[in-house]
DNA sequence: TTTTCGGAAAGTGCATACACTTTAGGTTAC
DNA sequence: GTAACCTAAAGTGTATGCACTTTCCGAAAA
């Protein structure tokens, strides 16, 4: 059974690296890999059953995305930011979400508005059930809707990218008692303003919402420091 | 003299890829390479006197930065965006600069404010001389000062990255007659607002400034389309 | 006991090799 | 003359090899 190496698809679709990037990014964003953890090329190569070459390319891309840090001649490391930088990311997030909310209030189509409101109302059930996992998933969707509603591709990319980078540091915010209910109320303010096409109010409500999340998450972030 | 291959530094500082990224990015941003142009790995490898391996990593990174586009089994291409996307980038830029200006108005130290004003006044000379090259260089500095003045690292990164991606499409704006003088006047409005610590006015002035640049540059962008 | 030093083991950086894909001409069929 | 096909050349995707660097650990020195 020597050399029985199951040649994975010999057809070249050029997707190997992309898949690895997604897989690794997901592990980082969902917290299966923690800030500070090392990512050595050989282990990853073994894990994904490829050679080091595509692994290196994936790490390079993750580095450019800001999810891992790289220094010459040493292993890539899941990005761990200073408290100061973390704060700047939350602030940036608040500003960006504010912009998205304002633009959404001004530009969302009738359908987009309707869907936003319907889904928001529906999320009340999750709050009452105290289903934090499900609410967290809904929450991601809610914010994505806001980003899309701004009808600006580049801003969408910026805010999405920022959110991914921030994700490893804001885990588990909904486990705090009462946070679910408050989050719902904050969403309510944003939705209402958007339905009224009141850009200023929407921006303000969104900014406040992120600022609160920032405060809640910071606790967890500092707890995870080494 | 066979195999006389001038071993480039045998010492591994791990900077090869980084240097190439910078070099290529610079060519794209300064317009030595135009949107749509192909970047084939072999030519680049020859040009930089390295093998394809580091070239590929550099291209991967440039791809993540948004400066080149990549598709499976074909050469990397200098990013060429749709008019729609270009518009979204300009709008994002205006929003981001608005934020930076507002935060600068609120947060710049006394020294930063002083320097901003002094340099701004000094740039009047370049305007009178009609030195568009030099003014363009100063202009980059001026905006960088604004980005830094916001005292937010992440926003600085976002806006810097966006500016780089936009650069290939806004070349030569200062060659339009009268643009230099108008640009100076717009800067003046921003500087004045910042000196007065009037965040709202600064944001508004900065937004307007970018919006005007956007209009001016769009002409060139569409002229460069293929 | 702690520090310092040496050297093997583990890991990164780049070159090279080769399989596979796309591209570009030229040739044949219509 | 044009369209369809075929094939060689050019180019990309990944594996492998080797030089170099970092890391780790045990032995010697303080």
């Amino acid at each position: 059974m020597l050399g029985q190496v199951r040649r994975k698809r010999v057809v070249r679709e050029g997707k190997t690296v992309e898949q690895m990037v997604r897989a690794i990014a997901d592990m980082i964003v969902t917290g299966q890999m923690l800030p500070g953890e090392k990512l050595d090329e050989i282990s990853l190569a073994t894990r994904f059953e490829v050679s080091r070459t595509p692994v290196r390319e994936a790490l390079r891309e993750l580095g450019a995305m800001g999810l891992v840090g790289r220094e010459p001649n040493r292993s890539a490391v899941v990005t761990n930011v200073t408290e100061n930088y973390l704060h700047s990311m939350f602030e940036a997030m608040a500003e960006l979400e504010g912009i998205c909310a304002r633009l959404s209030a001004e530009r969302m189509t009738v359908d987009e508005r309707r869907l936003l409101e319907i889904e928001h109302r529906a999320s009340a059930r999750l709050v009452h059930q105290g289903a934090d996992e499900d609410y967290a998933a809904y929450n991601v969707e809610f914010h994505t809707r806001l980003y899309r509603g701004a009808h600006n591709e580049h801003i969408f990319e910026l805010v999405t990218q920022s959110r991914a980078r921030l994700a490893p540091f804001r885990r588990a915010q909904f486990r705090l008692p009462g946070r679910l209910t408050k989050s719902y109320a904050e969403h309510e303010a944003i939705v209402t303003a958007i339905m009224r096409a009141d850009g200023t109010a929407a921006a303000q409500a969104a900014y406040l919402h992120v600022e609160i999340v920032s405060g809640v998450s910071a606790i967890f972030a500092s707890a995870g420091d080494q």
Side-chain angles (χ1 to χ4, degrees), chain A:
Chain A
M1 287 309 170
L2 248 104
Q4 176 55 300
V5 194
R6 173 161 91 64
R7 279 255 160 285
K8 24 179 12 117
R9 225 194 273 88
V10 182
V11 178
R12 296 279 173 74
E13 321 177 34
K15 294 243 163 87
T16 311
V17 175
E18 219 186 307
Q19 285 174 330
M20 290 183 60
V21 169
R22 253 204 280 278
I24 298 172
D26 203 60
M27 289 194 290
I28 295 173
V29 168
T30 63
Q32 293 164 61
M33 261 182 178
L34 296 173
E37 205 164 319
K38 280 208 256 187
L39 291 152
D40 85 89
E41 299 171 3
I42 296 171
S43 314
L44 288 173
T46 311
R47 168 108 81 105
F48 288 96
E49 297 184 292
V50 294
S51 78
R52 279 177 50 226
T53 310
V55 172
R56 283 179 63 78
E57 292 192 22
L59 289 175
R60 178 73 62 185
E61 190 158 335
L62 289 162
M65 291 165 56
L67 286 176
V68 311
R70 313 196 66 199
E71 301 202 32
N73 289 313
R74 45 191 49 128
S75 300
V77 168
V78 179
T79 303
N80 200 357
V81 301
T82 63
E83 189 165 341
N84 191 44
Y85 190 81
L86 185 63
H87 181 260
S88 84
M89 282 176 79
F90 273 117
E91 185 175 74
M93 215 46 208
E95 294 284 356
L96 288 171
E97 295 234 9
I99 291 170
C100 287
R102 173 160 50 74
L103 295 179
S104 284
E106 294 168 2
R107 299 180 180 175
M108 269 190 168
T109 65
V110 178
D111 283 356
E112 284 173 323
R113 280 170 218 269
R114 182 165 31 215
L115 211 58
L116 181 75
E117 187 168 37
I118 290 174
E119 296 281 309
H120 168 62
R121 297 264 169 268
S123 77
R125 252 188 86 235
L126 301 175
V127 176
H128 291 139
Q129 295 172 342
D132 27 306
E133 291 289 331
D134 289 347
Y135 187 84
Y138 161 74
N139 185 56
V140 170
E141 237 186 87
F142 175 82
H143 286 273
T144 306
R145 231 182 270 286
L146 231 56
Y147 308 159
R148 275 202 211 292
H151 293 290
N152 181 306
E153 276 188 76
H154 189 65
I155 290 180
F156 181 85
E157 280 175 36
L158 292 181
V159 68
T160 301
Q161 176 193 325
S162 295
R163 175 170 62 174
R165 276 183 74 168
L166 206 38
F169 306 101
R170 54 148 65 135
R171 193 139 306 100
Q173 25 163 328
F174 294 123
R175 289 205 206 121
L176 276 191
R179 185 70 203 106
L180 236 62
T181 313
K182 284 185 190 138
S183 171
Y184 182 83
E186 289 156 27
H187 285 190
E188 176 84 18
I190 299 171
V191 172
T192 306
I194 289 178
M195 296 310 282
R196 263 197 269 122
D198 183 343
T200 310
Q204 211 157 8
Y207 190 98
L208 199 67
H209 176 48
V210 177
E211 211 176 33
I212 290 167
V213 172
S214 147
V216 174
S217 302
I219 302 164
F220 289 95
S222 50
D225 275 358
Q226 281 124 325

